Amino acid sequence: MSAVDEMLRTMVETAGRSLRLATGAPARMPMADGPAREASPQSLTREEILRLILPIMPEHARRQLPQGDSVDFDYTSPSGPFKVTILRKGTEIAVSIVPDTAAIPPPAPLP
């Protein structure tokens, strides 16, 4: 399991709304019932963020990232489906990973 998958598992288990990674800041998880929690002990560098994200990026997103300002893709982790957005400005990078609630089937009706 990748480091991002571990973070996503923690996010799902603790009712986090999203996982945010940004150059120069610790990984953060905005919580459904309160303030954001830090998900990493130290601020992340661009290289650390890319090491976390590259293993889950599809090939088309890898090709788009160096040429564009943003890349979006879907990712299915062991914890469920997620939408990933990567924003790039110069050497800075920010990543937002949110649960893809549209991909989660509704519960079966009770008999």
Side-chain angles (χ1 to χ4, degrees):
M1 186 177 287
S2 74
V4 167
D5 287 327
E6 288 291 334
M7 290 176 160
L8 293 174
R9 181 181 56 76
T10 300
M11 182 185 83
V12 169
E13 289 175 355
T14 60
R17 290 186 321 212
S18 64
L19 174 63
R20 309 285 178 164
L21 311 172
T23 305
R28 298 181 58 79
M29 281 185 221
M31 305 306 290
D33 61 354
R37 290 181 35 198
E38 289 189 358
S40 67
Q42 76 281 342
S43 296
L44 300 172
T45 66
R46 180 182 201 280
E47 291 74 23
E48 289 169 327
I49 293 170
L50 290 174
R51 268 197 309 274
L52 288 168
I53 294 302
L54 285 175
I56 70 167
M57 283 181 76
E59 187 58 37
H60 78 277
R62 289 177 190 230
R63 285 193 308 270
Q64 285 178 318
L65 187 59
Q67 297 147 1
D69 294 335
S70 68
V71 174
D72 297 303
F73 61 91
D74 296 324
Y75 174 64
T76 301
S77 81
S79 299
F82 294 89
K83 294 278 189 189
V84 181
T85 301
I86 303 173
L87 303 174
R88 187 180 66 79
K89 184 174 183 180
T91 59
E92 301 212 358
I93 192 167
V95 179
S96 174
I97 305 175
V98 298
D100 184 358
T101 55
I104 300 171
L110 295 174

